[in-house]
Amino acid sequence: MPIQSINPATGALLRSFTPLTNEALLQKIALAESAFARTTEVPLAHRALCMNKLAHLLDRETADLAALITSEMGKPIAQSRAEIAKCAAACRFYAVNAARILAPEPIDAPPLDAIVRWDPLGVILAVMPWNFPFWQVFRFLAPALMAGNVGLLKHASNVPQCALAIEALVRRAGFPRGSFQTLLIEASQVEMVLADQRVAAVTVTGSESAGRAIAAQAGWLIKKSVLELGGSDPFIVMPSASLDTAIAAAVAARCINSGQSCIAAKRFLIADSIYDEFESRFVAAMDAIKVGDPTREDTQIGPLATTAQLDEIEAQVAAAIHAGARLLAGGERMIGTGNYYAPTVLAGLPRTAPVYREEVFGPVAMLFRFTDIDEAIAIANDTPFGLAASVWTANRDEQRRFSAALQCGAVFFNAQVASDPRLPFGGVKRSGYGRELSAAGMREFLNAKTVVTAEPGPTP
Ligand code: NAP
């Protein structure tokens, strides 16, 4: 099957690539192995120079790179530019902070003289999704390359041009040849790459099914894996919240990336006393969202990335209505060319409905009413996922209660959930395990090597 780049706004085939043969794939793995040997000899300060150069290239070429993202997966152009800027920020964060994170740690364990060294593992395979085609890759590659690891990227099959552009940027930034290679391969070839003894570990960002398949193999091979999978994040509004701010953030949190974000708010839990006002104002705001051509500066929601994605959203909304949800806005694909789906609001979906347990990866908000904080926590945790939560309350006691009780990897109070190079990012339950970003993310693919040095004793 060719790997195709198709513009989701027009349906036009942009480019088509033949997947690598297994022979060509083995050559790339061999090159990665030799690059790792060379990388470990490159001083950290030089790697930092290359990483800063990479940030500079991203800044300088933002317009072209953003246009590429928008043409391949339909992200509104302003958001594509923001994605490139965020990649540059991550490069700079690790260029500045790697020395601190990688410094050997003295251990207080008298009478032993002990330290922990942070050594790179080697060749790391990254299996990545299309929704943030640069950011998802950069949040792996910036810490990995600064730590002295090398990367092999299996990107989603609908963003091959982004994948090739990232490889070229890393090479131009001055990293040793083979430090970061894109593998234009099919999902079925991932097994062969991971099985190769020269590949040390794997990170997967994507769906549960991809994570499950790859982690099962990694487990069998006893190779380290990090999984960043789906989410069904709650957005909880308590009576003390500022409704103006909360409603604006709720719309933004559901519609970011045309609804196709793992940390998009997907379930909106609203206190009974403010529910009716929230519902009517939220529905009006969702109705007012500008859907259309993603190359236009004022577009807020573009097309969904693939026709399969559009079909799935349509089926999930139909299933929710069939299960008893009330449709308050949208609920249909939009007429004309392109994978457009109207911003949709559903209320009162029974929690017994199968679709309630699924991730809805598009501009579809589900509203729920709760009577007290106990019920809010119970609904928020009633999901197989555990990525993040956004909670709107001015009450410190409530904040303490939510921080402890919510089963997820991050809780943001009075703010939309967002990734940030300085903060650990990742989930619990079926959202996966391990962390990306910050020191924690960098250390996922390092060997915490204990070194104990005793006095040598008398020489013979
Ligand atoms: P996907 O279908 O799982 O694809 C992700 C990657 O995995 C692609 O490169 C895909 O290749 C590959 N893949 C799929 N099945 C595989 C298998 N059995 N073996 C090996 N590789 C396999 O997910 P997606 O539709 O691209 O992305 C959306 C999902 O990613 C959502 O669930 C979203 O929540 C999640 N996500 C999570 C995070 C996070 O940080 N937690 C961030 C962003 C997205 P092909 O394209 O060739 O199939």
Side-chain angles (χ1 to χ4, degrees):
M1 279 274 287
I3 294 173
Q4 294 186 324
S5 177
I6 294 173
N7 185 330
T10 62
L13 175 64
L14 304 174
R15 283 192 68 182
S16 184
F17 301 85
T18 307
L20 288 178
T21 61
N22 288 346
E23 207 169 53
L25 188 49
L26 290 175
Q27 283 171 7
K28 287 190 181 275
I29 298 173
L31 178 61
E33 185 191 35
S34 62
F36 178 58
R38 285 197 307 281
T39 302
T40 45
E41 286 162 17
V42 177
L44 186 60
H46 185 77
R47 296 206 290 270
L49 282 180
C50 297
M51 195 52 74
N52 276 320
K53 170 91 183 284
L54 186 50
H56 171 73
L57 292 174
L58 288 163
D59 283 345
R60 200 177 67 195
E61 296 169 24
T62 296
D64 289 347
L65 298 171
L68 181 59
I69 292 177
T70 296
S71 68
E72 271 202 318
M73 54 68 69
K75 193 186 302 280
I77 190 72
Q79 294 181 38
S80 297
R81 283 198 302 270
E83 179 170 339
I84 298 297
K86 196 163 175 176
C87 294
C91 292
R92 294 197 170 97
F93 172 81
Y94 283 106
V96 169
N97 289 287
R100 171 180 61 79
I101 299 169
L102 297 171
E105 272 180 27
I107 305 290
D108 186 21
L112 301 178
D113 173 2
I115 59 160
V116 170
R117 291 175 51 92
W118 297 100
D119 289 347
L121 291 185
V123 180
I124 316 293
L125 171 65
V127 180
M128 290 289 154
W130 44 263
N131 62 338
F132 289 86
F134 271 66
W135 172 240
Q136 297 297 345
V137 177
F138 270 82
R139 69 191 202 182
F140 159 71
L141 86 73
L145 295 188
M146 280 309 298
N149 286 311
V150 304
L152 289 173
L153 170 65
K154 189 282 179 245
H155 216 326
S157 49
N158 55 324
V159 289
Q161 297 193 79
C162 288
L164 291 170
I166 295 169
E167 180 187 59
L169 284 162
V170 173
R171 204 170 52 236
R172 286 162 56 213
F175 284 98
R177 187 168 159 266
S179 298
F180 191 83
Q181 298 177 80
T182 282
L183 310 174
L184 290 182
I185 56 174
E186 295 177 323
S188 58
Q189 292 171 284
V190 166
E191 190 176 342
M192 174 184 156
V193 181
L194 187 53
D196 194 294
Q197 61 178 8
R198 293 166 292 189
V199 174
V202 62
T203 182
V204 184
T205 302
S207 60
E208 258 183 274
S209 64
R212 201 184 294 280
I214 296 169
Q217 191 199 357
W220 192 82
L221 292 164
I222 316 182
K223 292 187 182 183
K224 173 77 186 270
S225 60
V226 166
L227 300 183
E228 297 288 357
L229 308 179
S232 186
D233 287 2
F235 185 105
I236 304 168
V237 188
M238 298 298 285
S240 63
S242 151
L243 265 198
D244 288 351
T245 324
I247 289 168
V251 173
R254 179 58 282 202
C255 296
I256 180 172
N257 206 29
S258 309
Q260 306 164 116
S261 169
C262 54
I263 48 168
K266 291 172 187 141
R267 296 174 299 137
F268 295 81
L269 283 45
I270 316 300
D272 191 38
S273 60
I274 52 169
Y275 180 91
D276 292 336
E277 184 183 355
F278 183 98
E279 182 186 281
S280 63
R281 290 176 60 188
F282 179 74
V283 168
M286 288 289 280
D287 266 336
I289 287 278
K290 279 199 177 128
V291 183
D293 179 354
T295 63
R296 285 181 58 104
E297 290 294 335
D298 59 350
T299 291
Q300 292 168 292
I301 289 191
L304 300 184
T306 61
T307 50
Q309 195 64 29
L310 182 62
D311 292 343
E312 185 167 355
I313 288 295
E314 193 173 51
Q316 285 178 310
V317 170
I321 294 169
H322 183 71
R326 284 180 296 124
L327 178 67
L328 305 179
E332 58 193 358
R333 60 172 82 200
M334 296 167 81
I335 311 284
T337 317
N339 309 333
Y340 294 100
Y341 195 84
T344 296
V345 184
L346 298 166
L349 175 68
R351 284 195 274 147
T352 48
V355 70
Y356 174 81
R357 314 257 138 221
E358 298 169 4
E359 178 180 38
V360 181
F361 217 56
V364 178
M366 299 193 283
L367 304 188
F368 300 88
R369 190 191 285 265
F370 63 82
T371 49
D372 57 25
I373 188 167
D374 293 328
E375 195 183 11
I377 291 168
I379 301 174
N381 288 340
D382 184 18
T383 169
F385 299 105
L387 203 46
S390 174
V391 184
W392 295 74
T393 170
N395 182 312
R396 295 272 173 209
D397 289 336
E398 288 176 356
Q399 290 178 2
R400 274 190 286 278
R401 179 86 201 282
F402 279 117
S403 334
L406 291 175
Q407 298 162 353
C408 54
V411 184
F412 281 55
F413 290 107
N414 306 313
Q416 190 180 330
V417 175
S419 55
D420 181 314
R422 298 164 297 181
L423 306 177
F425 183 98
V428 297
K429 296 160 72 176
R430 272 158 50 192
S431 290
Y433 50 75
R435 290 293 176 267
E436 290 190 291
L437 301 173
S438 75
M442 190 174 214
R443 287 178 177 160
E444 290 288 356
F445 295 114
L446 296 175
N447 173 13
K449 188 188 283 170
T450 300
V451 180
V452 175
T453 310
E455 287 304 318
T459 46

Short mmCIF file of all heavy atoms in Angstrom, two decimals, residues 51-52 54-59 62 65 69 79-95 132-143 166 169 419 421 437:
data_model
loop_
_atom_site.label_atom_id
_atom_site.label_comp_id
_atom_site.label_asym_id
_atom_site.label_seq_id
_atom_site.Cartn_x
_atom_site.Cartn_y
_atom_site.Cartn_z
N MET A 51 20.98 21.74 18.96
CA MET A 51 19.56 21.85 19.36
C MET A 51 19.08 23.30 19.24
O MET A 51 17.96 23.56 18.81
CB MET A 51 19.41 21.33 20.80
CG MET A 51 18.00 21.03 21.24
SD MET A 51 17.04 19.95 20.14
CE MET A 51 17.75 18.35 20.44
N ASN A 52 19.96 24.23 19.58
CA ASN A 52 19.60 25.64 19.40
C ASN A 52 19.47 25.99 17.93
O ASN A 52 18.60 26.78 17.54
CB ASN A 52 20.64 26.55 20.06
CG ASN A 52 20.36 26.72 21.55
OD1 ASN A 52 19.20 26.86 21.95
ND2 ASN A 52 21.39 26.69 22.37
N LEU A 54 18.53 23.95 15.67
CA LEU A 54 17.24 23.35 15.25
C LEU A 54 16.09 24.31 15.59
O LEU A 54 15.19 24.53 14.77
CB LEU A 54 17.08 22.00 15.97
CG LEU A 54 15.91 21.10 15.62
CD1 LEU A 54 15.78 20.89 14.12
CD2 LEU A 54 16.05 19.75 16.31
N ALA A 55 16.14 24.90 16.79
CA ALA A 55 15.11 25.87 17.18
C ALA A 55 15.11 27.05 16.22
O ALA A 55 14.05 27.54 15.80
CB ALA A 55 15.36 26.35 18.61
N HIS A 56 16.30 27.49 15.86
CA HIS A 56 16.44 28.63 14.97
C HIS A 56 15.83 28.29 13.58
O HIS A 56 15.11 29.11 12.99
CB HIS A 56 17.93 28.98 14.85
CG HIS A 56 18.23 29.99 13.81
ND1 HIS A 56 17.91 31.32 13.97
CD2 HIS A 56 18.79 29.87 12.58
CE1 HIS A 56 18.28 31.97 12.88
NE2 HIS A 56 18.81 31.12 12.02
N LEU A 57 16.12 27.09 13.08
CA LEU A 57 15.56 26.70 11.77
C LEU A 57 14.03 26.66 11.83
O LEU A 57 13.35 27.09 10.90
CB LEU A 57 16.09 25.32 11.37
CG LEU A 57 17.59 25.23 11.03
CD1 LEU A 57 17.99 23.78 10.79
CD2 LEU A 57 17.91 26.07 9.80
N LEU A 58 13.50 26.15 12.94
CA LEU A 58 12.04 26.09 13.09
C LEU A 58 11.45 27.49 13.06
O LEU A 58 10.44 27.75 12.40
CB LEU A 58 11.66 25.39 14.40
CG LEU A 58 11.89 23.88 14.44
CD1 LEU A 58 11.89 23.39 15.89
CD2 LEU A 58 10.83 23.13 13.65
N ASP A 59 12.09 28.40 13.79
CA ASP A 59 11.60 29.79 13.82
C ASP A 59 11.64 30.40 12.43
O ASP A 59 10.68 31.01 11.96
CB ASP A 59 12.48 30.64 14.74
CG ASP A 59 12.16 30.40 16.21
OD1 ASP A 59 11.09 29.82 16.50
OD2 ASP A 59 12.98 30.78 17.06
N THR A 62 9.07 28.84 9.88
CA THR A 62 7.72 28.60 10.41
C THR A 62 6.64 28.65 9.33
O THR A 62 5.76 27.78 9.29
CB THR A 62 7.39 29.63 11.51
OG1 THR A 62 8.29 29.45 12.58
CG2 THR A 62 5.98 29.45 12.03
N LEU A 65 6.70 25.47 7.18
CA LEU A 65 6.42 24.25 7.95
C LEU A 65 4.95 24.23 8.39
O LEU A 65 4.29 23.19 8.35
CB LEU A 65 7.35 24.16 9.16
CG LEU A 65 8.85 24.06 8.80
CD1 LEU A 65 9.71 24.20 10.06
CD2 LEU A 65 9.17 22.74 8.09
N ILE A 69 1.94 21.43 7.57
CA ILE A 69 1.05 20.78 8.54
C ILE A 69 -0.40 20.95 8.08
O ILE A 69 -1.19 19.99 8.02
CB ILE A 69 1.21 21.40 9.95
CG1 ILE A 69 2.58 21.07 10.54
CG2 ILE A 69 0.10 20.94 10.89
CD1 ILE A 69 2.83 21.71 11.91
N GLN A 79 -2.94 27.82 14.28
CA GLN A 79 -2.56 26.77 15.23
C GLN A 79 -1.32 26.02 14.74
O GLN A 79 -0.51 25.53 15.53
CB GLN A 79 -3.72 25.81 15.45
CG GLN A 79 -4.91 26.45 16.15
CD GLN A 79 -6.06 25.45 16.39
OE1 GLN A 79 -5.85 24.30 16.71
NE2 GLN A 79 -7.29 25.93 16.21
N SER A 80 -1.17 25.89 13.42
CA SER A 80 0.02 25.23 12.88
C SER A 80 1.27 26.04 13.21
O SER A 80 2.31 25.48 13.58
CB SER A 80 -0.09 25.05 11.36
OG SER A 80 -1.17 24.20 11.04
N ARG A 81 1.17 27.35 13.08
CA ARG A 81 2.33 28.20 13.43
C ARG A 81 2.65 28.06 14.91
O ARG A 81 3.82 27.97 15.30
CB ARG A 81 2.04 29.66 13.08
CG ARG A 81 2.15 29.98 11.60
CD ARG A 81 2.28 31.48 11.37
NE ARG A 81 1.17 32.22 11.93
CZ ARG A 81 0.03 32.51 11.27
NH1 ARG A 81 -0.11 32.15 10.00
NH2 ARG A 81 -0.94 33.18 11.85
N ALA A 82 1.60 28.03 15.74
CA ALA A 82 1.83 27.90 17.19
C ALA A 82 2.51 26.56 17.50
O ALA A 82 3.35 26.47 18.40
CB ALA A 82 0.50 28.01 17.94
N GLU A 83 2.16 25.55 16.73
CA GLU A 83 2.78 24.23 16.96
C GLU A 83 4.29 24.28 16.67
O GLU A 83 5.09 23.74 17.43
CB GLU A 83 2.10 23.17 16.08
CG GLU A 83 2.70 21.79 16.26
CD GLU A 83 1.91 20.68 15.58
OE1 GLU A 83 0.71 20.87 15.30
OE2 GLU A 83 2.50 19.61 15.33
N ILE A 84 4.65 24.95 15.61
CA ILE A 84 6.08 25.05 15.27
C ILE A 84 6.82 25.86 16.36
O ILE A 84 7.92 25.50 16.79
CB ILE A 84 6.27 25.71 13.88
CG1 ILE A 84 5.62 24.83 12.79
CG2 ILE A 84 7.76 25.93 13.59
CD1 ILE A 84 6.22 23.46 12.60
N ALA A 85 6.18 26.93 16.82
CA ALA A 85 6.81 27.75 17.87
C ALA A 85 7.04 26.93 19.14
O ALA A 85 8.06 27.06 19.83
CB ALA A 85 5.94 28.97 18.18
N LYS A 86 6.08 26.06 19.43
CA LYS A 86 6.21 25.23 20.64
C LYS A 86 7.35 24.22 20.50
O LYS A 86 8.08 23.95 21.46
CB LYS A 86 4.87 24.51 20.85
CG LYS A 86 4.70 23.93 22.20
CD LYS A 86 3.24 23.61 22.44
CE LYS A 86 3.06 22.91 23.75
NZ LYS A 86 1.68 22.67 24.09
N CYS A 87 7.54 23.70 19.29
CA CYS A 87 8.66 22.78 19.05
C CYS A 87 9.98 23.51 19.30
O CYS A 87 10.90 22.97 19.92
CB CYS A 87 8.63 22.26 17.61
SG CYS A 87 7.21 21.23 17.25
N ALA A 88 10.08 24.75 18.80
CA ALA A 88 11.31 25.52 19.00
C ALA A 88 11.54 25.74 20.50
O ALA A 88 12.68 25.65 20.99
CB ALA A 88 11.22 26.85 18.26
N ALA A 89 10.47 26.02 21.24
CA ALA A 89 10.61 26.25 22.68
C ALA A 89 11.11 24.98 23.38
O ALA A 89 11.94 25.05 24.30
CB ALA A 89 9.26 26.68 23.27
N ALA A 90 10.63 23.82 22.95
CA ALA A 90 11.08 22.56 23.57
C ALA A 90 12.56 22.33 23.27
O ALA A 90 13.32 21.90 24.15
CB ALA A 90 10.24 21.39 23.04
N CYS A 91 12.98 22.63 22.04
CA CYS A 91 14.41 22.48 21.70
C CYS A 91 15.24 23.36 22.62
O CYS A 91 16.26 22.92 23.17
CB CYS A 91 14.66 22.89 20.25
SG CYS A 91 13.93 21.76 19.05
N ARG A 92 14.81 24.60 22.81
CA ARG A 92 15.59 25.52 23.65
C ARG A 92 15.57 25.07 25.11
O ARG A 92 16.57 25.17 25.82
CB ARG A 92 15.04 26.95 23.53
CG ARG A 92 15.25 27.50 22.13
CD ARG A 92 15.13 29.02 22.04
NE ARG A 92 15.58 29.46 20.73
CZ ARG A 92 14.77 29.70 19.68
NH1 ARG A 92 13.47 29.60 19.80
NH2 ARG A 92 15.28 30.05 18.52
N PHE A 93 14.42 24.57 25.57
CA PHE A 93 14.34 24.10 26.96
C PHE A 93 15.39 23.00 27.20
O PHE A 93 16.13 23.05 28.20
CB PHE A 93 12.93 23.56 27.27
CG PHE A 93 12.86 22.91 28.62
CD1 PHE A 93 12.72 23.68 29.77
CD2 PHE A 93 12.98 21.53 28.76
CE1 PHE A 93 12.68 23.08 31.03
CE2 PHE A 93 12.94 20.93 30.01
CZ PHE A 93 12.79 21.71 31.15
N TYR A 94 15.46 22.03 26.30
CA TYR A 94 16.41 20.93 26.53
C TYR A 94 17.85 21.35 26.25
O TYR A 94 18.78 20.85 26.89
CB TYR A 94 16.00 19.68 25.74
CG TYR A 94 14.84 18.98 26.43
CD1 TYR A 94 13.56 19.04 25.92
CD2 TYR A 94 15.05 18.30 27.63
CE1 TYR A 94 12.49 18.43 26.58
CE2 TYR A 94 14.00 17.68 28.29
CZ TYR A 94 12.72 17.75 27.76
OH TYR A 94 11.69 17.14 28.43
N ALA A 95 18.05 22.30 25.33
CA ALA A 95 19.42 22.79 25.10
C ALA A 95 19.95 23.43 26.38
O ALA A 95 21.11 23.23 26.76
CB ALA A 95 19.43 23.80 23.96
N PHE A 132 -0.69 16.19 16.07
CA PHE A 132 0.27 17.30 16.19
C PHE A 132 1.53 16.78 15.50
O PHE A 132 2.45 16.30 16.18
CB PHE A 132 0.53 17.67 17.66
CG PHE A 132 -0.65 18.35 18.31
CD1 PHE A 132 -1.67 17.60 18.88
CD2 PHE A 132 -0.76 19.73 18.31
CE1 PHE A 132 -2.77 18.21 19.46
CE2 PHE A 132 -1.86 20.37 18.89
CZ PHE A 132 -2.87 19.59 19.46
N PRO A 133 1.59 16.83 14.17
CA PRO A 133 2.60 16.04 13.46
C PRO A 133 4.04 16.50 13.74
O PRO A 133 4.96 15.71 13.56
CB PRO A 133 2.24 16.24 11.98
CG PRO A 133 1.36 17.43 11.93
CD PRO A 133 0.68 17.53 13.26
N PHE A 134 4.24 17.74 14.19
CA PHE A 134 5.58 18.18 14.60
C PHE A 134 5.75 18.05 16.11
O PHE A 134 6.71 17.48 16.59
CB PHE A 134 5.83 19.64 14.16
CG PHE A 134 6.41 19.72 12.78
CD1 PHE A 134 5.67 19.33 11.66
CD2 PHE A 134 7.70 20.18 12.57
CE1 PHE A 134 6.19 19.40 10.39
CE2 PHE A 134 8.25 20.25 11.29
CZ PHE A 134 7.50 19.86 10.20
N TRP A 135 4.80 18.58 16.86
CA TRP A 135 4.96 18.64 18.32
C TRP A 135 5.13 17.26 18.94
O TRP A 135 5.98 17.05 19.81
CB TRP A 135 3.79 19.41 18.94
CG TRP A 135 3.75 19.37 20.44
CD1 TRP A 135 2.75 18.87 21.23
CD2 TRP A 135 4.76 19.84 21.35
NE1 TRP A 135 3.07 19.00 22.55
CE2 TRP A 135 4.30 19.59 22.65
CE3 TRP A 135 6.02 20.42 21.17
CZ2 TRP A 135 5.04 19.91 23.79
CZ3 TRP A 135 6.76 20.74 22.30
CH2 TRP A 135 6.27 20.50 23.59
N GLN A 136 4.30 16.29 18.51
CA GLN A 136 4.43 14.95 19.11
C GLN A 136 5.83 14.40 18.89
O GLN A 136 6.38 13.72 19.75
CB GLN A 136 3.41 13.98 18.49
CG GLN A 136 1.96 14.32 18.72
CD GLN A 136 1.58 14.31 20.19
OE1 GLN A 136 2.30 13.80 21.05
NE2 GLN A 136 0.45 14.89 20.51
N VAL A 137 6.41 14.69 17.74
CA VAL A 137 7.73 14.16 17.44
C VAL A 137 8.81 14.94 18.21
O VAL A 137 9.71 14.35 18.80
CB VAL A 137 7.99 14.23 15.91
CG1 VAL A 137 9.40 13.76 15.59
CG2 VAL A 137 6.96 13.39 15.16
N PHE A 138 8.67 16.26 18.23
CA PHE A 138 9.70 17.06 18.89
C PHE A 138 9.75 16.82 20.39
O PHE A 138 10.81 16.91 21.01
CB PHE A 138 9.52 18.56 18.57
CG PHE A 138 10.28 18.94 17.34
CD1 PHE A 138 9.74 18.71 16.08
CD2 PHE A 138 11.55 19.48 17.43
CE1 PHE A 138 10.46 19.00 14.94
CE2 PHE A 138 12.27 19.77 16.29
CZ PHE A 138 11.73 19.55 15.04
N ARG A 139 8.62 16.53 21.00
CA ARG A 139 8.70 16.34 22.45
C ARG A 139 9.38 15.02 22.79
O ARG A 139 9.82 14.82 23.91
CB ARG A 139 7.33 16.50 23.11
CG ARG A 139 6.34 15.45 22.83
CD ARG A 139 4.99 15.94 23.34
NE ARG A 139 4.10 14.84 23.59
CZ ARG A 139 2.86 15.00 24.01
NH1 ARG A 139 2.38 16.20 24.23
NH2 ARG A 139 2.08 13.97 24.23
N PHE A 140 9.49 14.14 21.80
CA PHE A 140 10.35 12.97 21.97
C PHE A 140 11.79 13.30 21.56
O PHE A 140 12.74 13.03 22.29
CB PHE A 140 9.83 11.79 21.13
CG PHE A 140 10.88 10.76 20.85
CD1 PHE A 140 11.36 9.95 21.87
CD2 PHE A 140 11.45 10.64 19.58
CE1 PHE A 140 12.38 9.03 21.63
CE2 PHE A 140 12.46 9.73 19.34
CZ PHE A 140 12.93 8.92 20.37
N LEU A 141 11.94 13.91 20.38
CA LEU A 141 13.30 14.01 19.85
C LEU A 141 14.20 14.98 20.60
O LEU A 141 15.41 14.74 20.72
CB LEU A 141 13.28 14.26 18.33
CG LEU A 141 13.18 15.64 17.70
CD1 LEU A 141 14.45 16.45 17.80
CD2 LEU A 141 12.84 15.48 16.23
N ALA A 142 13.65 16.09 21.11
CA ALA A 142 14.53 17.07 21.76
C ALA A 142 15.22 16.47 22.99
O ALA A 142 16.46 16.51 23.08
CB ALA A 142 13.75 18.34 22.11
N PRO A 143 14.49 15.85 23.93
CA PRO A 143 15.21 15.24 25.06
C PRO A 143 16.05 14.04 24.65
O PRO A 143 17.13 13.82 25.19
CB PRO A 143 14.08 14.82 26.02
CG PRO A 143 12.83 14.81 25.21
CD PRO A 143 13.04 15.81 24.11
N ILE A 166 10.94 16.82 9.19
CA ILE A 166 11.58 16.79 10.52
C ILE A 166 12.98 16.15 10.41
O ILE A 166 13.96 16.66 10.95
CB ILE A 166 10.70 16.04 11.53
CG1 ILE A 166 9.38 16.82 11.76
CG2 ILE A 166 11.43 15.84 12.86
CD1 ILE A 166 8.31 16.05 12.53
N LEU A 169 15.33 18.67 8.93
CA LEU A 169 15.67 19.75 9.87
C LEU A 169 16.76 19.30 10.85
O LEU A 169 17.71 20.03 11.14
CB LEU A 169 14.42 20.19 10.66
CG LEU A 169 13.42 21.05 9.90
CD1 LEU A 169 12.06 21.04 10.62
CD2 LEU A 169 13.91 22.50 9.77
N SER A 419 0.18 21.03 27.29
CA SER A 419 1.52 20.49 27.51
C SER A 419 2.51 21.65 27.53
O SER A 419 2.27 22.71 26.93
CB SER A 419 1.87 19.48 26.42
OG SER A 419 1.73 20.07 25.15
N PRO A 421 7.01 22.15 27.94
CA PRO A 421 8.28 21.41 28.08
C PRO A 421 8.75 21.30 29.52
O PRO A 421 9.47 20.36 29.87
CB PRO A 421 9.27 22.24 27.26
CG PRO A 421 8.46 23.08 26.36
CD PRO A 421 7.10 23.26 26.99
N LEU A 437 8.39 15.05 28.36
CA LEU A 437 8.72 16.43 28.73
C LEU A 437 9.35 16.51 30.14
O LEU A 437 9.36 15.52 30.88
CB LEU A 437 7.49 17.32 28.63
CG LEU A 437 6.87 17.35 27.21
CD1 LEU A 437 5.55 18.13 27.19
CD2 LEU A 437 7.83 17.95 26.19
#
